[in-house]
Amino acid sequence: MNFTPLGGGREIGANSYILSINGLNIMIDCGRHPVKEGYGSLPLIEDLDRVDYIVISHSHYDHLSSLPYVLKKFPDVTVLTSTENKFLALRILNNSVEVMKKKNEKCGEPVLYTHRDVKKTRKKIVPLDYLQPVELSNDIVLTLYPAGHVMGAASILIEHDGKKLFYTGDISLSPQLTVPAATLPERADIVISEGTYGLKDAQTADRHSEIRRLNKKLKKILESGGRVLLPVFALGRGQEVLFMILKQMESGKLPRVPVYINGMVHVLTELFLTEHSGIDNNERAWLREAIKKYVVVVPRKFNWLLKEKRPMILILSSGMLIEDTLSYVFAHEILIEEKSAIYFMGYQSPESPGFSVLEAFRNSKTVTFDEEELEVNCDVDIFNFSGHANYFELLEIPRRLQPERLIYVHGDEEALENLKEELRYEFQIDIPENLENIAL
Ligand SMILES: [Zn+2]
């Protein structure tokens, strides 16, 4: 067996990995870099001459969004993903086409694939149920495990020649409001683990104390007449944060103000309500009613809302304020409002505008938005509502699975090195660079 990152080696990038077993090439995930643009955002597939299967762990941009592009180069590939994820993936890929088209008109960025390519992708996807082993070829068996993280997310177990290889994907061992916890196999010989929260810092704060801390701040801002922007990833944090805010409002812990969400958060919340099996029917019915009562979808023409300075909560994607997204456009206005606030819900890539806003706030500096120097007058903070394993869970995963080999991917270099340092006496650990081949 051989393992090679094409993206996601010592970074959170265009996550994509090649696992070669007896001449069979299995591509695990097929993402785009969250901050880079155009061809530079793709995994490093130039030297790849064959792919037999592509397995998609979940529908976040950095795990999914190259898929139609890669399928143009390798049209005979079979794509495997969880049944729930199939619906999401196609919806999100079609949205990516629209985003690329808009950027193409604005600044000439290439459109990497079209709606037609997404249609072709649909035909290639074979949906799989969790925990149902499937044979990829003689003596290679694949099983998807529920990964927590977001709806439809899977970890991947590949068995060959008596060896078990387990790829965590983005994983959460703790249950969330909207997704149950991950299921792990009993053991594995090789573990390929994400390491997003490999640094032992604020990310170990527990969810309940984070809800209390957020509530206190939200209440203060809303009662003093300000508005709050909560940037989210449309899939996952979108539903989790919406659910949490509505619960707090219904129980009287938060002022009952309008909650604005953008189109993509809305579409994925609808899919969550109709397709997701990890939420019970009472909660589903409750969420539906609460949405009717408090939630407004941001209309196409929203200039009036940009200037509307009254108490409201805006739950908008993207989660890291990536340029040209709705959260970026609203942040541009809200940053300068003294009474208002921007609260991040999880990890900010050091290259993202979200990270720059946090830094500017902490160091009383200005931040550049749309080529304009802005003073950060509003309150800014970061909370841990992540769907990723926290630091302690990242240590727990290999300790439970007891692998001979442990490989870390999908994390900032410092975070991955920190995990290696912590576990160096317990496991043989590799942290490959992109295109570095690891023989297993
Ligand atoms: Zn993810």
Side-chain angles (χ1 to χ4, degrees):
M1 272 198 267
N2 283 283
F3 176 79
T4 315
L6 305 177
R10 293 184 171 258
E11 60 169 1
I12 296 180
N15 299 291
S16 185
Y17 311 92
I18 286 284
L19 184 68
S20 300
I21 312 173
N22 276 355
L24 192 84
N25 279 354
I26 304 166
M27 180 182 273
I28 299 177
D29 282 337
C30 199
R32 288 180 65 191
H33 195 289
V35 179
K36 291 181 185 166
E37 293 187 341
Y39 294 102
S41 69
L42 295 165
L44 306 168
I45 57 166
E46 294 80 9
D47 297 332
L48 210 59
D49 48 19
R50 220 186 95 204
V51 180
D52 301 286
Y53 288 95
I54 299 178
V55 194
I56 299 291
S57 67
H58 67 290
S59 279
H60 276 153
Y61 183 83
D62 60 330
H63 291 259
L64 165 77
S65 291
S66 293
L67 181 60
Y69 182 84
V70 173
L71 284 177
K72 284 196 280 185
K73 188 171 174 193
F74 303 104
D76 298 326
V77 173
T78 301
V79 180
L80 304 171
T81 197
S82 76
T83 308
E84 261 181 43
N85 193 45
K86 181 177 173 176
F87 294 105
L88 296 169
L90 294 165
R91 189 64 192 76
I92 287 171
L93 288 172
N94 275 319
N95 185 61
S96 291
V97 174
E98 289 305 314
V99 173
M100 284 188 285
K101 282 197 326 207
K102 257 192 219 157
K103 282 193 178 170
N104 180 271
E105 276 166 30
K106 197 177 159 195
C107 50
E109 246 206 75
V111 177
L112 299 171
Y113 47 86
T114 62
H115 289 300
R116 233 171 122 196
D117 297 321
V118 177
K119 221 174 180 177
K120 285 185 194 157
T121 303
R122 174 193 287 270
K123 292 187 186 139
K124 295 280 162 196
I125 300 181
V126 177
L128 301 180
D129 288 338
Y130 290 123
L131 305 174
Q132 295 295 322
V134 288
E135 220 170 64
L136 300 189
S137 79
N138 207 1
D139 200 25
I140 300 176
V141 175
L142 176 142
T143 312
L144 298 183
Y145 277 70
H149 189 55
V150 296
M151 71 167 145
S155 302
I156 301 162
L157 182 75
I158 293 175
E159 294 170 85
H160 166 65
D161 203 15
K163 279 212 181 254
K164 290 173 191 274
L165 177 144
F166 186 68
Y167 166 80
T168 63
D170 292 2
I171 190 168
S172 170
L173 298 189
S174 311
Q176 303 171 59
L177 292 169
T178 51
V179 193
T183 306
L184 291 180
E186 270 180 24
R187 49 166 280 280
D189 302 286
I190 300 152
V191 169
I192 299 160
S193 175
E194 67 135 319
T196 313
Y197 289 125
L199 286 179
K200 188 181 179 181
D201 57 8
Q203 300 307 335
T204 53
D206 81 82
R207 198 160 286 246
H208 295 291
S209 59
E210 283 296 81
I211 292 179
R212 278 197 301 276
R213 190 164 75 88
L214 175 64
N215 255 350
K216 223 169 140 189
K217 286 204 147 194
L218 284 176
K219 217 170 155 213
K220 200 173 150 208
I221 297 285
L222 296 171
E223 284 175 355
S224 67
R227 50 184 183 160
V228 183
L229 170 64
L230 306 176
V232 292
F233 295 109
L235 170 63
R237 276 344 72 199
Q239 293 70 50
E240 187 78 7
V241 170
L242 181 62
F243 197 112
M244 177 177 77
I245 294 291
L246 294 175
K247 282 260 171 199
Q248 300 297 314
M249 273 186 185
E250 277 279 273
S251 65
K253 288 180 186 149
L254 276 183
R256 293 175 179 168
V257 299
V259 178
Y260 286 91
I261 61 174
N262 61 310
M264 207 50 198
V265 172
H266 178 233
V267 165
L268 295 179
T269 302
E270 281 300 311
L271 278 174
F272 172 84
L273 285 168
T274 53
E275 306 298 337
H276 181 48
S277 57
I279 172 172
D280 83 55
N281 283 336
N282 290 337
E283 293 282 89
R284 200 189 304 269
W286 177 87
L287 184 56
R288 237 181 233 293
E289 280 309 306
I291 288 173
K292 266 191 220 156
K293 238 162 133 182
Y294 301 107
V295 176
V296 187
V297 180
V298 176
R300 259 173 207 280
K301 289 188 178 156
F302 56 80
N303 272 342
W304 61 274
L305 187 60
L306 277 175
K307 308 283 176 199
E308 187 94 342
K309 289 184 183 109
R310 63 189 167 92
M312 66 175 80
I313 294 175
L314 297 140
I315 302 176
L316 307 177
S317 60
S318 77
M320 298 196 236
L321 300 184
I322 302 297
E323 276 93 349
D324 294 330
T325 61
L326 212 56
S327 65
Y328 183 88
V329 174
F330 275 82
H332 192 165
E333 292 295 321
I334 291 174
L335 275 168
I336 50 173
E337 295 173 13
E338 273 172 25
K339 284 181 179 173
S340 296
I342 300 176
Y343 296 141
F344 296 100
M345 298 286 102
Y347 174 83
Q348 300 297 307
S349 159
E351 298 146 303
S352 66
F355 188 88
S356 309
V357 167
L358 268 168
E359 286 292 293
F361 178 77
R362 284 171 183 157
N363 306 315
S364 329
K365 283 194 198 132
T366 55
V367 65
T368 313
F369 258 60
D370 279 332
E371 292 163 15
E372 213 181 308
E373 283 281 300
L374 297 177
E375 264 181 50
V376 181
N377 297 330
C378 75
D379 189 32
V380 179
D381 206 340
I382 181 164
F383 293 83
N384 177 25
F385 293 108
S386 153
H388 287 272
N390 66 27
Y391 175 72
F392 296 114
E393 291 179 6
L394 285 175
L395 300 182
E396 188 187 333
I397 291 167
R399 283 174 177 158
R400 270 169 64 181
L401 297 173
Q402 286 299 317
E404 290 161 16
R405 299 283 296 268
L406 175 56
I407 298 171
Y408 279 116
V409 294
H410 192 290
D412 294 333
E413 202 151 12
E414 221 187 330
L416 302 183
E417 287 290 357
N418 189 54
L419 290 167
K420 185 175 175 181
E421 179 65 21
E422 186 66 38
L423 294 170
R424 70 191 186 283
Y425 297 120
E426 295 169 64
F427 303 102
Q428 182 185 342
I429 303 171
D430 292 285
I431 309 177
E433 312 240 1
N434 288 332
L435 298 182
E436 183 181 339
N437 172 53
I438 304 249
L440 297 165

